[in-house]
Each structure stands twice: as C-alpha cells, then as structure tokens.
Amino acid sequence: MFAVVPENEDLPLDSRPILSALAFAGDEPVTEARHAARAFLTEVQDVHEISVSDRARGMVQLVVTELVTNAHKYAPGPCLLDLEISDGAVEISVWDTDPTLPVAQAADPGRVGQHGLEIVIGVCRSFEMRREPVGKRIKAAVVLADDPGGHPAGRLL
C-alpha cells in the first residue's frame, strides 16, 4: 500500500529522504490512510532507526485522519497522501481535487464538530495550504521527538 522511495540513487543510504506516496480513489475508509501512516512510522523507526515518540505517532495519525477525511468529504474523486521524514519531523501532504481552501472556524466552545482544522494547526510545527493548477495541497509537519524536557513539540500542547 505504500512505498519508501529514495529520491536520489547517488546519495548514501543514510542521506536519502524517507518518503511514502499513496493514492486514494476517494471511496476507501479513512482508516486505510491512518494505518498507512502508522506502518510508515513503524518502518521509519524499525528499519531506519529514527526515533518516533508515542506522541508523534498519535499526532501523525490524527493529522492524516483529519486531512484525508476532509479531502473525502469536500473534494470529489481521488486524493494523494505523501509522508516524508525531513528535519526531525514527518511532513504530511494531502492533495485533492477541490481548489477551495478550508477555513478554520472561530473558537466556539458550544459548536459540535468541525474542529479538525483547528486541532491540526495546533498540534503541528508548521501548516500551509495552497491552490494548485488542479485542486489544492495541504501540508503539515509533526515533530518526531519530544523536547528534552519531555514536552511535546507542537504549538498548543
């Protein structure tokens, strides 16, 4: 279901990026994306010996779930999920066919649901959205390890 693909065959193995690219038709359960993210992080840790904290594992699965759910819910057709290890973080990228950029709702403790984008922005080191020639791409980065004091490295946590 996923592939770890070296970007440049001339680089030594330990210098190559670790990434995964997945395509979803749009009708699969979102759990498939979450399971793929978990498998990717397991391989990163077991094969590439890069430490992944339990917090990071959970946050990556949460972010993947939220972004792929939104793609399935609001964009017709396929979506693409890319995961890449870069600069001590998992960079998550989701492309879908709808060019409309999502908007985080204003804080409202009485609102039920529609908090996903707020949560994603809060737990990620970085977050960006951009329109593409077809559709849009949303990128977020989750830090792999907690800081030395044991605190999570996200924004709100």
Side-chain angles (χ1 to χ4, degrees), residues 36-38 46 126:
R38 185 180 316 128
D46 294 349
S126 64

Side-chain angles (χ1 to χ4, degrees), residues 15-16 24 42 56-57 65 77 91 95 100 114 124 145:
S15 299
R16 295 179 186 175
F24 295 97
T42 297
R57 190 176 304 278
T65 299
E91 293 185 358
W95 170 88
T100 306
Q114 297 186 339
C124 292

Side-chain angles (χ1 to χ4, degrees), residues 5-84:
V5 183
E7 189 171 277
N8 184 338
E9 294 294 329
D10 297 330
L11 291 173
L13 284 176
D14 61 352
S15 299
R16 295 179 186 175
I18 303 166
L19 49 99
S20 170
L22 300 102
F24 295 97
D27 56 357
E28 304 86 351
V30 174
T31 55
E32 288 187 28
R34 187 172 46 250
H35 292 307
R38 185 180 316 128
F40 174 74
L41 292 175
T42 297
E43 182 165 327
V44 163
Q45 190 158 334
D46 294 349
V47 174
H48 300 280
E49 299 179 349
I50 297 172
S51 180
V52 179
S53 74
D54 289 340
R55 180 211 43 84
R57 190 176 304 278
M59 290 301 108
V60 167
Q61 290 178 77
L62 171 74
V63 170
V64 165
T65 299
E66 290 295 335
L67 296 181
V68 172
T69 295
N70 285 348
H72 281 10
K73 185 174 180 179
Y74 298 110
C79 77
L80 303 175
L81 168 64
D82 296 325
L83 303 166
E84 180 175 0

Side-chain angles (χ1 to χ4, degrees), residues 6 11 13 15 20-21 25 33 35-36 47 58 66 90 97 101 104 108 114 117 120 127 133 142 156:
L11 291 173
L13 284 176
S15 299
S20 170
H35 292 307
V47 174
E66 290 295 335
V90 180
T97 60
L101 298 177
D108 178 1
Q114 297 186 339
L117 190 57
V120 168
F127 180 85
V142 174
L156 293 181

Side-chain angles (χ1 to χ4, degrees), residues 78-131:
C79 77
L80 303 175
L81 168 64
D82 296 325
L83 303 166
E84 180 175 0
I85 303 299
S86 178
D87 193 28
V90 180
E91 293 185 358
I92 302 158
S93 172
V94 175
W95 170 88
D96 67 46
T97 60
D98 184 357
T100 306
L101 298 177
V103 177
Q105 306 251 344
D108 178 1
R111 183 177 72 233
V112 176
Q114 297 186 339
H115 295 280
L117 190 57
E118 295 168 67
I119 293 168
V120 168
I121 292 169
V123 302
C124 292
R125 174 173 72 186
S126 64
F127 180 85
E128 73 176 75
M129 302 180 285
R130 71 171 186 259
R131 287 187 184 90

